[in-house]
């Protein structure tokens, strides 16, 4: 369950991505990466409400959950699911802290897949994710979004993840949506809204 939740938090895509993606030229990709990297250097905190939709082959209906994400650079990330159940995950100091409806636990994230995915999400707030050696990155565009597609290079990550797509609205340098396809073919989508940048975040958001 931890793996499904941890992977699910990276997928922020709505179900209406039917627009045709076309590959960026080398010059377009370079300009896009440069702009995102430059614009996000000043981001210290990021907060957003999210809706997560997980589709699994053996279930007729998608699983839809709601919650709040809080990020504080350089390496603190909190995901708190509020409906239809309460479940919280905090990435901090190379550990994953979990509160499953009052039952608390922790997992050592160092050198585990969790750490790699945590780095990618944190990196999406400061542009450093484009340089992650664990992934091959290609760039696309459509009428509404610029898209960065990440394909894992390592056999460890490929056991769990087929690809991750980060969606950047045109003229915006922060990720608004992500789509992840797991190795099994299951997908998890999350859409962010009410995003706040550099607003003060209480320390309690990163403790369970």
């Amino acid at each position: 369950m931890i793996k499904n939740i941890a992977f699910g938090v990276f997928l922020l895509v709505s179900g209406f991505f039917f627009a045709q993606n076309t590959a960026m030229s080398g010059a377009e990709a370079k300009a896009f990466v440069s702009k995102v990297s430059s614009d996000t250097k000043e981001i210290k905190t990021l907060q957003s409400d999210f809706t997560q939709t997980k589709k699994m082959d053996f279930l007729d209906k998608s699983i839809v959950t709601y919650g709040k994400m809080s990020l504080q650079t350089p390496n603190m990330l909190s995901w708190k699911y509020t409906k239809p159940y309460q479940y919280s995950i905090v990435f901090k100091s190379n550990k994953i802290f979990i509160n499953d409806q009052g039952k608390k636990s922790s997992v050592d994230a160092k050198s585990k897949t969790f750490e790699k995915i945590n780095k990618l999400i944190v990196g999406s707030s400061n542009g450093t994710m484009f340089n992650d050696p664990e992934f091959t990155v290609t760039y696309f565009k459509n009428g509404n979004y610029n898209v960065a597609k990440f394909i894992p290079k390592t056999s460890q990550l490929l056991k769990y993840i087929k690809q991750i797509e980060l969606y950047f609205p045109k003229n915006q340098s922060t990720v608004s949506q992500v789509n992840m396809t797991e190795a099994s073919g299951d997908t998890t989508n999350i859409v962010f809204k009410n995003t706040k940048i550099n607003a003060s975040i209480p320390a309690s958001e990163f403790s369970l």
Side-chain angles (χ1 to χ4, degrees), residues 150-169:
F150 294 76
I151 305 294
K153 291 181 180 180
T154 67
S155 57
Q156 181 188 28
L157 283 177
L158 284 168
K159 291 178 182 178
Y160 306 108
I161 303 170
K162 182 178 180 180
Q163 68 178 35
I164 298 174
E165 295 174 326
L166 303 185
Y167 283 76
F168 299 77

Side-chain angles (χ1 to χ4, degrees), residues 60-78:
D60 293 332
K61 293 184 179 180
S62 299
I63 301 172
V64 181
T65 50
Y66 304 87
K68 180 179 180 180
M69 182 274 290
S70 300
L71 181 152
Q72 183 170 306
T73 60
N75 59 6
M76 292 198 295
L77 181 65
S78 168

Side-chain angles (χ1 to χ4, degrees), residues 18 27 51 65 98 103-105 110 113 116 120 128 148-149 160 172 194 199 202 206:
F18 301 108
T51 300
T65 50
I98 300 165
K103 184 179 180 180
K104 298 181 181 181
S105 59
K110 192 171 184 180
T113 301
K116 305 297 189 300
L120 186 62
T128 61
K149 181 183 292 187
Y160 306 108
Q172 183 173 312
N194 303 325
F206 301 104

Side-chain angles (χ1 to χ4, degrees), residues 28-53:
E28 288 174 327
K30 183 177 180 179
F32 167 68
V33 170
S34 178
K35 185 178 189 306
V36 171
S37 299
S38 176
D39 290 352
T40 55
K41 282 181 179 178
E42 302 304 317
I43 294 179
K44 303 301 181 185
T45 67
L46 195 65
Q47 299 173 81
S48 183
D49 299 324
F50 67 82
T51 300
Q52 174 180 302
T53 303

Side-chain angles (χ1 to χ4, degrees), residues 136-156:
T136 297
V137 190
T138 51
Y139 303 94
F140 301 85
K141 62 182 180 179
N142 60 47
N144 299 312
Y145 295 89
N146 292 315
V147 184
K149 181 183 292 187
F150 294 76
I151 305 294
K153 291 181 180 180
T154 67
S155 57
Q156 181 188 28

